[in-house]
Amino acid sequence: APTVDREFRLGRFNQIYAHLNLICHANSCDLIDLESAPDLTLLKRAIEHVIDRHPMARSVQYQRGVILGWRHLAKRLPIEIEQRTSINVDPVRLRAELLDNAWRERVPVRDGHPFRFIYTRTPDRHILQILTSHTFTDGKAAQLFSGDIAEAYGHLAAGRPLDPEVVDLQERNHDRLFLSGLGWKDALRLAWKGVT
């Protein structure tokens, strides 16, 4: 595992989305319908384990002038699982409540790791929402992150050892995928078209 902080400047494409995230909330959300109430102590341990395994998950955003980037920290910051109780059994009202969880607040970027964990208990459901900042990750990476947490929780609940291997994922650079060979005017026009 790295023993020092490492900085990575965001590419042009993600610079635009990161700045838009300062205006609106660019959150992604995985929703997991649990079979029963989770052991929140074990769940927190599972989350911490996954963050420790993935150095890129120990990130906070930095800004120098108008340039944004990620600082991958050598050690994880404290995390919390937010707990909610809902009396809504009507699916439409509950859906609105869960959407509010996902979109009302921006996922931390500069003052914390770029995710939130919200456990909601209703009269007949147990729901875990894992929110990530879309400027930090993409849908595939968020899904893998959620899957790793579920796997670690299952191991802890069964008394099995956790996988200690550190998985240092490669930096995702959307510029190489989408903007190779484009000038900045065309890149800005396409990015604006994508959000309007």
Side-chain angles (χ1 to χ4, degrees):
T3 56
V4 294
D5 296 355
R6 298 177 299 166
E7 291 190 355
F8 296 89
R9 176 176 163 173
L10 287 173
R12 289 181 296 165
F13 196 67
N14 278 342
Q15 288 287 338
I16 295 166
Y17 280 102
H19 280 90
L20 285 172
N21 187 43
L22 303 177
I23 302 166
C24 59
H25 301 167
N27 300 343
S28 297
C29 178
D30 274 6
L31 185 146
I32 303 171
D33 237 321
L34 305 170
E35 292 180 358
S36 59
D39 180 324
L40 293 178
T41 301
L42 288 187
L43 180 58
K44 184 174 179 182
R45 282 179 56 201
I47 292 168
E48 290 172 342
H49 170 74
V50 171
I51 294 171
D52 288 342
R53 281 194 73 203
H54 298 287
M56 283 184 65
R58 299 190 300 271
S59 297
V60 292
Q61 199 173 78
Y62 71 83
Q63 182 169 358
R64 292 204 180 90
V66 296
I67 301 300
L68 297 171
W70 290 103
R71 181 177 294 114
H72 303 325
L73 306 178
K75 294 190 177 185
R76 121 181 84 77
L77 298 173
I79 63 103
E80 296 298 329
I81 300 170
E82 302 171 43
Q83 297 181 56
R84 310 272 166 87
T85 302
S86 173
I87 59 170
N88 277 325
V89 290
D90 175 56
V92 174
R93 289 184 178 177
L94 180 59
R95 187 180 308 117
E97 201 172 316
L98 296 171
L99 284 170
D100 190 55
N101 285 351
W103 290 98
R104 183 171 21 131
E105 291 181 49
R106 182 170 38 244
V107 169
V109 283
R110 293 186 193 152
D111 55 348
H113 294 314
F115 22 75
R116 292 172 62 206
F117 307 92
I118 304 175
Y119 165 59
T120 301
R121 181 176 191 152
T122 75
D124 59 354
R125 291 176 70 185
H126 301 275
I127 300 164
L128 177 65
Q129 290 176 277
I130 300 177
L131 281 66
T132 56
S133 169
H134 190 62
T135 63
F136 169 75
T137 187
D138 60 19
K140 181 179 179 184
Q143 190 175 31
L144 290 171
F145 184 65
S146 298
D148 283 356
I149 290 170
E151 181 181 10
Y153 180 83
H155 277 68
L156 288 170
R160 295 193 306 267
L162 295 170
D163 187 346
E165 181 186 1
V166 172
V167 183
D168 198 357
L169 298 176
Q170 297 230 344
E171 187 73 12
R172 294 177 186 273
N173 188 334
H174 288 90
D175 289 0
R176 286 194 296 270
L177 292 172
F178 301 114
L179 302 181
S180 180
L182 287 179
W184 70 270
K185 288 182 182 177
D186 286 333
L188 184 61
R189 178 180 55 79
L190 291 171
W192 179 252
K193 187 175 181 182
V195 297
T196 57

Short mmCIF file of all heavy atoms in Angstrom, two decimals, residues 84-142:
data_model
loop_
_atom_site.label_atom_id
_atom_site.label_comp_id
_atom_site.label_asym_id
_atom_site.label_seq_id
_atom_site.Cartn_x
_atom_site.Cartn_y
_atom_site.Cartn_z
N ARG A 84 -31.50 6.20 8.61
CA ARG A 84 -32.79 6.85 8.43
C ARG A 84 -33.89 5.86 8.77
O ARG A 84 -33.74 4.65 8.57
CB ARG A 84 -32.98 7.31 6.98
CG ARG A 84 -31.82 8.11 6.40
CD ARG A 84 -31.97 9.58 6.70
NE ARG A 84 -30.76 10.32 6.45
CZ ARG A 84 -30.38 10.84 5.29
NH1 ARG A 84 -31.17 10.67 4.24
NH2 ARG A 84 -29.28 11.52 5.17
N THR A 85 -35.01 6.38 9.24
CA THR A 85 -36.22 5.57 9.45
C THR A 85 -37.34 6.21 8.64
O THR A 85 -37.50 7.43 8.67
CB THR A 85 -36.62 5.52 10.93
OG1 THR A 85 -35.52 4.99 11.68
CG2 THR A 85 -37.84 4.65 11.14
N SER A 86 -38.07 5.39 7.91
CA SER A 86 -39.17 5.89 7.08
C SER A 86 -40.44 5.12 7.43
O SER A 86 -40.41 3.91 7.60
CB SER A 86 -38.84 5.72 5.60
OG SER A 86 -39.97 6.07 4.82
N ILE A 87 -41.55 5.85 7.50
CA ILE A 87 -42.84 5.19 7.73
C ILE A 87 -43.55 4.91 6.40
O ILE A 87 -44.64 4.35 6.38
CB ILE A 87 -43.76 6.04 8.63
CG1 ILE A 87 -44.02 7.42 8.00
CG2 ILE A 87 -43.16 6.17 10.02
CD1 ILE A 87 -45.11 8.21 8.71
N ASN A 88 -42.91 5.28 5.29
CA ASN A 88 -43.54 5.12 3.97
C ASN A 88 -43.56 3.66 3.54
O ASN A 88 -42.52 3.02 3.43
CB ASN A 88 -42.80 5.95 2.92
CG ASN A 88 -43.26 7.39 2.91
OD1 ASN A 88 -44.42 7.67 3.14
ND2 ASN A 88 -42.34 8.30 2.67
N VAL A 89 -44.76 3.14 3.30
CA VAL A 89 -44.89 1.83 2.69
C VAL A 89 -45.36 1.96 1.24
O VAL A 89 -45.26 1.02 0.46
CB VAL A 89 -45.87 0.92 3.48
CG1 VAL A 89 -45.26 0.52 4.81
CG2 VAL A 89 -47.22 1.58 3.67
N ASP A 90 -45.86 3.15 0.90
CA ASP A 90 -46.27 3.42 -0.48
C ASP A 90 -45.01 3.52 -1.34
O ASP A 90 -44.14 4.35 -1.07
CB ASP A 90 -47.07 4.73 -0.55
CG ASP A 90 -47.40 5.11 -1.98
OD1 ASP A 90 -48.01 4.29 -2.67
OD2 ASP A 90 -47.01 6.22 -2.39
N PRO A 91 -44.88 2.68 -2.37
CA PRO A 91 -43.65 2.65 -3.17
C PRO A 91 -43.30 3.99 -3.81
O PRO A 91 -42.12 4.34 -3.92
CB PRO A 91 -43.93 1.59 -4.25
CG PRO A 91 -45.08 0.80 -3.76
CD PRO A 91 -45.85 1.66 -2.82
N VAL A 92 -44.31 4.74 -4.25
CA VAL A 92 -44.04 6.02 -4.92
C VAL A 92 -43.44 7.02 -3.93
O VAL A 92 -42.45 7.70 -4.24
CB VAL A 92 -45.33 6.58 -5.56
CG1 VAL A 92 -45.10 7.98 -6.12
CG2 VAL A 92 -45.83 5.64 -6.65
N ARG A 93 -44.02 7.10 -2.74
CA ARG A 93 -43.49 8.03 -1.74
C ARG A 93 -42.11 7.61 -1.25
O ARG A 93 -41.23 8.44 -1.02
CB ARG A 93 -44.46 8.14 -0.56
CG ARG A 93 -45.73 8.87 -0.91
CD ARG A 93 -46.60 9.05 0.30
NE ARG A 93 -47.80 9.78 -0.04
CZ ARG A 93 -48.78 10.03 0.82
NH1 ARG A 93 -48.70 9.57 2.05
NH2 ARG A 93 -49.83 10.71 0.45
N LEU A 94 -41.92 6.30 -1.06
CA LEU A 94 -40.62 5.81 -0.62
C LEU A 94 -39.56 6.09 -1.68
O LEU A 94 -38.45 6.51 -1.36
CB LEU A 94 -40.69 4.32 -0.31
CG LEU A 94 -39.37 3.69 0.17
CD1 LEU A 94 -38.85 4.37 1.44
CD2 LEU A 94 -39.54 2.20 0.39
N ARG A 95 -39.90 5.88 -2.95
CA ARG A 95 -38.96 6.16 -4.03
C ARG A 95 -38.54 7.63 -4.01
O ARG A 95 -37.37 7.96 -4.18
CB ARG A 95 -39.58 5.81 -5.38
CG ARG A 95 -38.59 5.91 -6.54
CD ARG A 95 -39.22 5.55 -7.88
NE ARG A 95 -39.88 4.27 -7.86
CZ ARG A 95 -41.19 4.10 -8.06
NH1 ARG A 95 -41.98 5.12 -8.30
NH2 ARG A 95 -41.72 2.89 -8.03
N ALA A 96 -39.50 8.53 -3.79
CA ALA A 96 -39.19 9.96 -3.72
C ALA A 96 -38.24 10.25 -2.55
O ALA A 96 -37.31 11.06 -2.68
CB ALA A 96 -40.47 10.78 -3.58
N GLU A 97 -38.46 9.57 -1.44
CA GLU A 97 -37.61 9.76 -0.28
C GLU A 97 -36.18 9.27 -0.56
O GLU A 97 -35.20 9.93 -0.20
CB GLU A 97 -38.20 8.97 0.90
CG GLU A 97 -37.75 9.44 2.25
CD GLU A 97 -38.53 8.75 3.36
OE1 GLU A 97 -39.78 8.64 3.25
OE2 GLU A 97 -37.90 8.33 4.33
N LEU A 98 -36.06 8.12 -1.22
CA LEU A 98 -34.74 7.58 -1.53
C LEU A 98 -34.02 8.44 -2.56
O LEU A 98 -32.80 8.62 -2.48
CB LEU A 98 -34.88 6.14 -2.02
CG LEU A 98 -35.42 5.14 -0.99
CD1 LEU A 98 -35.72 3.79 -1.64
CD2 LEU A 98 -34.45 4.97 0.18
N LEU A 99 -34.76 8.97 -3.53
CA LEU A 99 -34.16 9.89 -4.49
C LEU A 99 -33.66 11.15 -3.80
O LEU A 99 -32.61 11.69 -4.14
CB LEU A 99 -35.17 10.25 -5.59
CG LEU A 99 -35.39 9.18 -6.66
CD1 LEU A 99 -36.57 9.56 -7.54
CD2 LEU A 99 -34.14 8.96 -7.49
N ASP A 100 -34.42 11.62 -2.82
CA ASP A 100 -34.00 12.79 -2.05
C ASP A 100 -32.69 12.49 -1.31
O ASP A 100 -31.80 13.33 -1.24
CB ASP A 100 -35.10 13.20 -1.07
CG ASP A 100 -34.81 14.54 -0.41
OD1 ASP A 100 -34.59 15.53 -1.14
OD2 ASP A 100 -34.79 14.59 0.83
N ASN A 101 -32.58 11.27 -0.76
CA ASN A 101 -31.32 10.86 -0.12
C ASN A 101 -30.16 10.99 -1.10
O ASN A 101 -29.07 11.43 -0.74
CB ASN A 101 -31.38 9.39 0.32
CG ASN A 101 -32.23 9.16 1.55
OD1 ASN A 101 -32.66 10.09 2.22
ND2 ASN A 101 -32.49 7.90 1.84
N ALA A 102 -30.41 10.55 -2.33
CA ALA A 102 -29.33 10.49 -3.32
C ALA A 102 -28.94 11.85 -3.88
O ALA A 102 -27.78 12.07 -4.22
CB ALA A 102 -29.73 9.55 -4.46
N TRP A 103 -29.91 12.79 -3.97
CA TRP A 103 -29.64 14.02 -4.71
C TRP A 103 -29.64 15.30 -3.89
O TRP A 103 -29.17 16.32 -4.36
CB TRP A 103 -30.67 14.16 -5.83
CG TRP A 103 -30.46 13.16 -6.91
CD1 TRP A 103 -31.12 11.98 -7.08
CD2 TRP A 103 -29.51 13.23 -7.96
NE1 TRP A 103 -30.63 11.31 -8.17
CE2 TRP A 103 -29.63 12.05 -8.73
CE3 TRP A 103 -28.54 14.16 -8.31
CZ2 TRP A 103 -28.85 11.80 -9.84
CZ3 TRP A 103 -27.75 13.90 -9.43
CH2 TRP A 103 -27.91 12.74 -10.17
N ARG A 104 -30.19 15.26 -2.67
CA ARG A 104 -30.32 16.53 -1.92
C ARG A 104 -28.96 17.12 -1.56
O ARG A 104 -28.74 18.32 -1.62
CB ARG A 104 -31.15 16.32 -0.66
CG ARG A 104 -31.38 17.61 0.13
CD ARG A 104 -32.36 17.44 1.25
NE ARG A 104 -32.50 16.06 1.64
CZ ARG A 104 -32.44 15.63 2.89
NH1 ARG A 104 -32.24 16.47 3.87
NH2 ARG A 104 -32.59 14.36 3.18
N GLU A 105 -28.02 16.27 -1.16
CA GLU A 105 -26.69 16.75 -0.75
C GLU A 105 -25.63 16.24 -1.70
O GLU A 105 -25.71 15.12 -2.19
CB GLU A 105 -26.35 16.23 0.66
CG GLU A 105 -27.15 16.81 1.77
CD GLU A 105 -26.72 16.24 3.12
OE1 GLU A 105 -25.50 16.23 3.38
OE2 GLU A 105 -27.59 15.79 3.86
N ARG A 106 -24.64 17.07 -1.94
CA ARG A 106 -23.51 16.65 -2.76
C ARG A 106 -22.66 15.67 -1.96
O ARG A 106 -22.42 15.84 -0.77
CB ARG A 106 -22.67 17.87 -3.15
CG ARG A 106 -21.49 17.54 -4.03
CD ARG A 106 -20.79 18.77 -4.61
NE ARG A 106 -20.70 19.88 -3.72
CZ ARG A 106 -21.31 21.06 -3.94
NH1 ARG A 106 -22.05 21.23 -4.99
NH2 ARG A 106 -21.17 22.04 -3.09
N VAL A 107 -22.24 14.60 -2.63
CA VAL A 107 -21.31 13.67 -1.99
C VAL A 107 -20.03 14.45 -1.68
O VAL A 107 -19.59 15.25 -2.50
CB VAL A 107 -21.01 12.48 -2.94
CG1 VAL A 107 -19.84 11.65 -2.43
CG2 VAL A 107 -22.25 11.61 -3.08
N PRO A 108 -19.44 14.25 -0.50
CA PRO A 108 -18.22 15.01 -0.18
C PRO A 108 -17.14 14.77 -1.23
O PRO A 108 -16.98 13.67 -1.74
CB PRO A 108 -17.77 14.43 1.16
CG PRO A 108 -18.97 13.77 1.72
CD PRO A 108 -19.81 13.33 0.56
N VAL A 109 -16.41 15.83 -1.53
CA VAL A 109 -15.25 15.67 -2.38
C VAL A 109 -14.01 16.28 -1.72
O VAL A 109 -13.03 15.60 -1.50
CB VAL A 109 -15.47 16.25 -3.81
CG1 VAL A 109 -16.31 15.32 -4.64
CG2 VAL A 109 -16.11 17.61 -3.78
N ARG A 110 -14.09 17.54 -1.34
CA ARG A 110 -12.90 18.18 -0.78
C ARG A 110 -12.71 17.90 0.71
O ARG A 110 -11.60 17.92 1.20
CB ARG A 110 -12.98 19.68 -0.99
CG ARG A 110 -12.89 20.05 -2.45
CD ARG A 110 -12.82 21.53 -2.65
NE ARG A 110 -13.06 21.80 -4.06
CZ ARG A 110 -13.58 22.91 -4.50
NH1 ARG A 110 -13.92 23.86 -3.68
NH2 ARG A 110 -13.76 23.09 -5.77
N ASP A 111 -13.78 17.66 1.42
CA ASP A 111 -13.66 17.50 2.87
C ASP A 111 -13.82 16.05 3.32
O ASP A 111 -13.94 15.77 4.50
CB ASP A 111 -14.69 18.38 3.59
CG ASP A 111 -16.12 18.11 3.11
OD1 ASP A 111 -16.27 17.43 2.08
OD2 ASP A 111 -17.06 18.58 3.75
N GLY A 112 -13.85 15.13 2.38
CA GLY A 112 -14.00 13.73 2.75
C GLY A 112 -13.90 12.84 1.53
O GLY A 112 -13.76 13.32 0.40
N HIS A 113 -13.94 11.55 1.76
CA HIS A 113 -13.91 10.61 0.65
C HIS A 113 -15.19 10.76 -0.18
O HIS A 113 -16.24 11.12 0.36
CB HIS A 113 -13.78 9.18 1.16
CG HIS A 113 -12.48 8.90 1.85
ND1 HIS A 113 -11.27 9.30 1.33
CD2 HIS A 113 -12.19 8.28 3.02
CE1 HIS A 113 -10.29 8.91 2.14
NE2 HIS A 113 -10.82 8.31 3.18
N PRO A 114 -15.13 10.47 -1.48
CA PRO A 114 -16.25 10.78 -2.37
C PRO A 114 -17.37 9.75 -2.37
O PRO A 114 -17.80 9.27 -3.41
CB PRO A 114 -15.57 10.88 -3.75
CG PRO A 114 -14.44 9.91 -3.63
CD PRO A 114 -13.96 10.00 -2.21
N PHE A 115 -17.85 9.39 -1.18
CA PHE A 115 -19.03 8.53 -1.08
C PHE A 115 -19.75 8.75 0.23
O PHE A 115 -19.21 9.31 1.19
CB PHE A 115 -18.69 7.04 -1.24
CG PHE A 115 -17.28 6.66 -0.95
CD1 PHE A 115 -16.80 6.60 0.34
CD2 PHE A 115 -16.41 6.36 -2.00
CE1 PHE A 115 -15.49 6.25 0.61
CE2 PHE A 115 -15.10 6.01 -1.74
CZ PHE A 115 -14.63 5.95 -0.45
N ARG A 116 -21.03 8.32 0.21
CA ARG A 116 -21.86 8.32 1.42
C ARG A 116 -22.55 6.97 1.50
O ARG A 116 -22.81 6.33 0.48
CB ARG A 116 -22.93 9.43 1.35
CG ARG A 116 -22.37 10.83 1.43
CD ARG A 116 -23.46 11.87 1.16
NE ARG A 116 -24.52 11.82 2.14
CZ ARG A 116 -25.77 12.22 1.89
NH1 ARG A 116 -26.11 12.68 0.70
NH2 ARG A 116 -26.69 12.16 2.83
N PHE A 117 -22.89 6.57 2.72
CA PHE A 117 -23.58 5.30 2.96
C PHE A 117 -24.82 5.60 3.79
O PHE A 117 -24.72 6.15 4.88
CB PHE A 117 -22.66 4.32 3.69
CG PHE A 117 -21.34 4.14 3.01
CD1 PHE A 117 -20.25 4.92 3.34
CD2 PHE A 117 -21.19 3.19 2.00
CE1 PHE A 117 -19.03 4.77 2.70
CE2 PHE A 117 -19.98 3.03 1.35
CZ PHE A 117 -18.89 3.82 1.71
N ILE A 118 -25.99 5.26 3.26
CA ILE A 118 -27.25 5.56 3.93
C ILE A 118 -28.05 4.27 4.09
O ILE A 118 -28.38 3.60 3.10
CB ILE A 118 -28.08 6.60 3.14
CG1 ILE A 118 -27.27 7.88 2.91
CG2 ILE A 118 -29.38 6.91 3.89
CD1 ILE A 118 -27.96 8.90 2.04
N TYR A 119 -28.36 3.93 5.34
CA TYR A 119 -29.20 2.76 5.63
C TYR A 119 -30.58 3.28 6.05
O TYR A 119 -30.70 4.08 6.98
CB TYR A 119 -28.60 1.91 6.75
CG TYR A 119 -29.56 0.91 7.35
CD1 TYR A 119 -30.16 -0.07 6.56
CD2 TYR A 119 -29.90 0.97 8.70
CE1 TYR A 119 -31.05 -0.98 7.11
CE2 TYR A 119 -30.79 0.06 9.26
CZ TYR A 119 -31.36 -0.91 8.45
OH TYR A 119 -32.25 -1.80 8.99
N THR A 120 -31.61 2.85 5.33
CA THR A 120 -32.99 3.27 5.62
C THR A 120 -33.81 2.05 6.01
O THR A 120 -33.85 1.05 5.28
CB THR A 120 -33.64 3.95 4.39
OG1 THR A 120 -32.84 5.10 4.02
CG2 THR A 120 -35.06 4.40 4.71
N ARG A 121 -34.49 2.15 7.15
CA ARG A 121 -35.38 1.09 7.60
C ARG A 121 -36.82 1.57 7.47
O ARG A 121 -37.18 2.66 7.92
CB ARG A 121 -35.07 0.75 9.07
CG ARG A 121 -35.94 -0.36 9.60
CD ARG A 121 -35.55 -0.74 11.01
NE ARG A 121 -36.24 -1.97 11.37
CZ ARG A 121 -35.79 -2.83 12.23
NH1 ARG A 121 -34.65 -2.62 12.85
NH2 ARG A 121 -36.47 -3.93 12.51
N THR A 122 -37.65 0.76 6.82
CA THR A 122 -39.08 1.05 6.70
C THR A 122 -39.82 -0.05 7.45
O THR A 122 -39.20 -1.00 7.93
CB THR A 122 -39.51 1.06 5.21
OG1 THR A 122 -39.60 -0.27 4.73
CG2 THR A 122 -38.55 1.87 4.35
N PRO A 123 -41.16 0.03 7.55
CA PRO A 123 -41.88 -1.04 8.24
C PRO A 123 -41.65 -2.44 7.64
O PRO A 123 -41.76 -3.44 8.34
CB PRO A 123 -43.35 -0.62 8.11
CG PRO A 123 -43.30 0.87 8.00
CD PRO A 123 -42.04 1.17 7.23
N ASP A 124 -41.31 -2.51 6.35
CA ASP A 124 -41.15 -3.84 5.74
C ASP A 124 -39.90 -4.00 4.87
O ASP A 124 -39.75 -4.99 4.18
CB ASP A 124 -42.39 -4.20 4.91
CG ASP A 124 -42.67 -3.18 3.80
OD1 ASP A 124 -41.97 -2.15 3.75
OD2 ASP A 124 -43.56 -3.44 2.99
N ARG A 125 -39.00 -3.01 4.91
CA ARG A 125 -37.80 -3.10 4.06
C ARG A 125 -36.56 -2.59 4.79
O ARG A 125 -36.66 -1.76 5.71
CB ARG A 125 -37.98 -2.29 2.77
CG ARG A 125 -39.00 -2.89 1.83
CD ARG A 125 -39.23 -2.02 0.62
NE ARG A 125 -38.09 -1.99 -0.28
CZ ARG A 125 -38.02 -1.22 -1.37
NH1 ARG A 125 -39.04 -0.43 -1.69
NH2 ARG A 125 -36.97 -1.23 -2.14
N HIS A 126 -35.41 -3.08 4.34
CA HIS A 126 -34.10 -2.60 4.81
C HIS A 126 -33.31 -2.25 3.57
O HIS A 126 -33.04 -3.13 2.73
CB HIS A 126 -33.38 -3.69 5.61
CG HIS A 126 -34.17 -4.15 6.80
ND1 HIS A 126 -34.13 -3.51 8.01
CD2 HIS A 126 -35.04 -5.19 6.95
CE1 HIS A 126 -34.92 -4.13 8.86
NE2 HIS A 126 -35.50 -5.16 8.23
N ILE A 127 -32.92 -0.98 3.44
CA ILE A 127 -32.34 -0.49 2.19
C ILE A 127 -30.99 0.17 2.47
O ILE A 127 -30.89 1.03 3.36
CB ILE A 127 -33.28 0.53 1.51
CG1 ILE A 127 -34.62 -0.14 1.20
CG2 ILE A 127 -32.65 1.10 0.24
CD1 ILE A 127 -35.74 0.83 0.89
N LEU A 128 -29.98 -0.22 1.72
CA LEU A 128 -28.67 0.41 1.80
C LEU A 128 -28.41 1.15 0.50
O LEU A 128 -28.52 0.56 -0.58
CB LEU A 128 -27.57 -0.63 2.04
CG LEU A 128 -26.14 -0.09 2.08
CD1 LEU A 128 -25.94 0.84 3.26
CD2 LEU A 128 -25.14 -1.24 2.12
N GLN A 129 -28.10 2.43 0.61
CA GLN A 129 -27.72 3.22 -0.55
C GLN A 129 -26.23 3.55 -0.44
O GLN A 129 -25.78 4.03 0.60
CB GLN A 129 -28.53 4.52 -0.63
CG GLN A 129 -30.00 4.30 -0.99
CD GLN A 129 -30.77 5.61 -0.97
OE1 GLN A 129 -31.18 6.05 0.10
NE2 GLN A 129 -30.95 6.21 -2.13
N ILE A 130 -25.50 3.27 -1.51
CA ILE A 130 -24.09 3.63 -1.58
C ILE A 130 -23.97 4.70 -2.65
O ILE A 130 -24.20 4.44 -3.83
CB ILE A 130 -23.22 2.41 -1.90
CG1 ILE A 130 -23.40 1.34 -0.81
CG2 ILE A 130 -21.74 2.81 -2.03
CD1 ILE A 130 -22.64 0.06 -1.06
N LEU A 131 -23.65 5.91 -2.23
CA LEU A 131 -23.57 7.05 -3.14
C LEU A 131 -22.11 7.37 -3.41
O LEU A 131 -21.30 7.42 -2.49
CB LEU A 131 -24.25 8.28 -2.54
CG LEU A 131 -25.76 8.38 -2.59
CD1 LEU A 131 -26.40 7.30 -1.74
CD2 LEU A 131 -26.21 9.74 -2.12
N THR A 132 -21.79 7.58 -4.67
CA THR A 132 -20.46 8.04 -5.05
C THR A 132 -20.59 9.29 -5.90
O THR A 132 -21.63 9.54 -6.50
CB THR A 132 -19.71 6.97 -5.87
OG1 THR A 132 -20.50 6.62 -7.01
CG2 THR A 132 -19.44 5.72 -5.05
N SER A 133 -19.53 10.07 -5.92
CA SER A 133 -19.52 11.24 -6.79
C SER A 133 -19.21 10.79 -8.21
O SER A 133 -18.22 10.11 -8.45
CB SER A 133 -18.45 12.24 -6.34
OG SER A 133 -18.29 13.24 -7.32
N HIS A 134 -20.07 11.16 -9.14
CA HIS A 134 -19.87 10.76 -10.53
C HIS A 134 -18.59 11.37 -11.11
O HIS A 134 -18.06 10.88 -12.10
CB HIS A 134 -21.07 11.16 -11.38
CG HIS A 134 -21.05 10.59 -12.75
ND1 HIS A 134 -21.09 9.23 -12.99
CD2 HIS A 134 -20.98 11.17 -13.97
CE1 HIS A 134 -21.05 9.00 -14.28
NE2 HIS A 134 -20.98 10.17 -14.90
N THR A 135 -18.10 12.44 -10.49
CA THR A 135 -16.85 13.03 -10.96
C THR A 135 -15.64 12.22 -10.49
O THR A 135 -14.54 12.41 -10.96
CB THR A 135 -16.70 14.48 -10.47
OG1 THR A 135 -16.63 14.50 -9.04
CG2 THR A 135 -17.85 15.33 -10.93
N PHE A 136 -15.87 11.28 -9.56
CA PHE A 136 -14.79 10.42 -9.07
C PHE A 136 -14.78 9.07 -9.76
O PHE A 136 -13.73 8.51 -10.05
CB PHE A 136 -14.95 10.21 -7.55
CG PHE A 136 -14.06 9.14 -6.98
CD1 PHE A 136 -12.71 9.37 -6.79
CD2 PHE A 136 -14.57 7.91 -6.62
CE1 PHE A 136 -11.88 8.39 -6.27
CE2 PHE A 136 -13.76 6.92 -6.10
CZ PHE A 136 -12.41 7.16 -5.92
N THR A 137 -15.97 8.54 -10.03
CA THR A 137 -16.06 7.17 -10.53
C THR A 137 -17.06 7.09 -11.67
O THR A 137 -17.77 8.04 -11.95
CB THR A 137 -16.48 6.23 -9.38
OG1 THR A 137 -16.40 4.88 -9.86
CG2 THR A 137 -17.88 6.49 -8.90
N ASP A 138 -17.11 5.95 -12.31
CA ASP A 138 -18.16 5.71 -13.29
C ASP A 138 -19.07 4.60 -12.76
O ASP A 138 -18.82 4.05 -11.69
CB ASP A 138 -17.58 5.34 -14.67
CG ASP A 138 -16.71 4.09 -14.64
OD1 ASP A 138 -16.82 3.30 -13.69
OD2 ASP A 138 -15.93 3.90 -15.58
N GLY A 139 -20.13 4.29 -13.49
CA GLY A 139 -21.11 3.33 -12.98
C GLY A 139 -20.51 1.96 -12.72
O GLY A 139 -20.83 1.31 -11.73
N LYS A 140 -19.61 1.52 -13.61
CA LYS A 140 -19.00 0.20 -13.44
C LYS A 140 -18.16 0.15 -12.17
O LYS A 140 -18.24 -0.80 -11.38
CB LYS A 140 -18.16 -0.15 -14.65
CG LYS A 140 -17.51 -1.53 -14.57
CD LYS A 140 -16.70 -1.83 -15.81
CE LYS A 140 -16.03 -3.20 -15.70
NZ LYS A 140 -15.17 -3.49 -16.84
N ALA A 141 -17.35 1.17 -11.93
CA ALA A 141 -16.50 1.19 -10.74
C ALA A 141 -17.35 1.27 -9.48
O ALA A 141 -17.03 0.63 -8.47
CB ALA A 141 -15.52 2.37 -10.81
N ALA A 142 -18.44 2.04 -9.52
CA ALA A 142 -19.32 2.14 -8.35
C ALA A 142 -19.95 0.79 -8.04
O ALA A 142 -20.07 0.40 -6.87
CB ALA A 142 -20.40 3.19 -8.60
#
